[in-house]
């Protein structure tokens, strides 16, 4: 006797088609004009399928960004902390730079006036990345690349803060050399005197 | 022979009434629901008066925040750089904390998908404040509180970055003690080794 298919169970190829459609439409038309209808049409699925898996367009975009960030912006460990942070932050900056940025900046803007989405953004997208950052920093501490009593909460603020200050005030993302300078200064700041 | 009144010339009491109405309505109903109609009704002026002076609701809110920031978040100079930055940043944090934050977070969100507003935000609200920050830092350099070759662009990124990283990801503003810690670490970071 075979088990009947569970209609709530996600089909991976539909899931990927939906997320890719959402990102592509967002890049073309902007987050504000994105609709579930358009995503459904573009991905070749029904609106009902999308609503079965996600409560809102914000939730679709959140998951699309999460997939993209998992793929592109993981922490690496070559044994050189400054260089590894440069690699990871360069990927984050890439995601925040046109034409790749419309999904994430749209999500950030929407979350600024939608408490549930803000909560999802923090808990589902950001907290796991803060954990991964701190894991990389603890490896650096264990191997002597970073002072064992460096404050990792301050490190998070000093290393990632500049990018988002520049984002919200449209001051331009740091280039590779500026990023190197920022990381060097931030790491100096968190080494206890 | 008297000069005829210039209809484009702003009346200061109307101007203040409009800006106060905009901030109050924004706090009550949120930036998204704010309309020029409601501002006009609340301030006791015509819509035409508002449109004569400002092109959009974003422009009204920008000027209201500019006035508020000039009043509340100027740089001070008591001779103690870390303490003076704490004073100024505490005022900025106050403006970014509910219930005062709906105007500025609304403006930030809107500017993330409105290039003209983003340009105004940067040039009219932020650039003059960056200049004021650097002036305070140069005083600190001249009086020996800060290394003369400290990089003031990096200082801006490290000192203001954390607040906006926390804002966009809803991580909570630093309390007074956390702010003190952040400023101390950022200042250590920018002192050349």
């Amino acid at each position: 006797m075979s088990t009947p298919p569970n209609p709530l169970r996600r089909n991976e190829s539909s899931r990927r088609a939906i997320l890719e459609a959402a990102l592509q439409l967002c890049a073309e038309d902007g987050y504000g004009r994105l609709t579930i209808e358009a995503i459904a049409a573009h991905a070749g699925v029904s609106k009902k399928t999308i609503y079965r898996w996600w409560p809102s367009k914000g939730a679709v975009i959140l998951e699309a960004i999460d997939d993209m960030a998992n793929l592109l912006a993981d922490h690496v460990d070559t044994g050189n902390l400054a260089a590894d942070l440069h690699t990871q932050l360069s990927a984050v900056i890439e995601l925040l730079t046109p034409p790749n940025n419309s999904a994430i900046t749209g999500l950030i803007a929407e979350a600024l006036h939608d408490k549930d989405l803000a909560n999802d953004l923090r808990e589902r997208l950001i907290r796991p990345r803060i954990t991964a950052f701190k894991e990389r920093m603890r490896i650096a501490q264990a191997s002597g690349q970073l002072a064992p009593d460096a404050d990792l909460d301050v490190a998070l603020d000093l290393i990632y803060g500049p990018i988002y200050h520049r984002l919200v005030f449209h001051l331009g993302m740091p280039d590779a050399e500026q990023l190197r300078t920022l990381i060097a200064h931030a790491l100096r700041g968190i080494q206890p005197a």
Side-chain angles (χ1 to χ4, degrees), chain A:
Chain A
M1 202 171 85
S2 70
T3 316
N6 177 350
L8 286 171
R9 191 156 150 247
R10 296 177 176 196
N11 172 297
E12 181 58 18
S13 72
S14 296
R15 191 188 78 92
R16 293 194 59 84
I18 292 164
L19 298 184
E20 276 165 27
L23 288 179
Q24 192 184 328
L25 291 168
C26 211
E28 283 168 13
D29 305 328
Y31 183 95
R33 276 193 283 268
L34 186 68
T35 61
I36 295 285
E37 280 89 338
I39 298 171
H42 205 272
V45 301
S46 69
K47 272 174 65 176
K48 214 175 128 193
T49 298
I50 298 182
Y51 278 120
R52 200 185 297 143
W53 296 337
W54 295 277
S56 63
K57 88 173 181 187
V60 178
I61 287 291
L62 187 71
E63 187 163 327
I65 293 167
D66 195 36
D67 268 26
M68 194 162 60
N70 282 335
L71 197 68
L72 301 173
D74 258 2
H75 285 273
V76 291
D77 177 15
T78 69
N80 180 334
L81 178 63
D84 290 352
L85 288 172
H86 195 279
T87 301
Q88 199 271 337
L89 282 152
S90 297
V92 173
I93 288 168
E94 188 74 22
L95 295 178
L96 294 170
T97 302
N100 308 316
N101 66 330
S102 54
I104 186 138
T105 56
L107 184 70
I108 286 172
E110 189 90 345
L112 284 170
H113 43 68
D114 178 334
K115 277 190 186 172
D116 292 337
L117 188 61
N119 197 60
D120 279 356
L121 172 62
R122 181 181 62 242
E123 299 304 324
R124 295 187 45 202
L125 194 66
I126 300 307
R127 290 265 192 236
R129 285 180 171 74
I130 293 176
T131 301
F133 165 74
K134 288 187 176 174
E135 278 166 11
R136 177 66 189 86
M137 295 299 267
R138 282 197 198 97
I139 290 171
Q141 288 179 315
S143 65
Q145 301 160 53
L146 182 67
D149 51 349
D151 183 324
L152 301 188
D153 289 308
V154 172
L156 177 77
D157 275 325
L158 295 188
I159 291 171
Y160 290 89
I163 294 177
Y164 295 96
H165 178 239
R166 285 159 172 257
L167 180 79
V168 300
F169 292 136
H170 308 275
L171 298 166
M173 286 292 132
D175 63 24
E177 188 50 38
Q178 290 170 329
L179 180 60
R180 214 177 319 275
T181 303
L182 277 172
I183 291 169
H185 284 79
L187 287 178
R188 182 196 292 147
I190 60 165
Q191 311 274 3

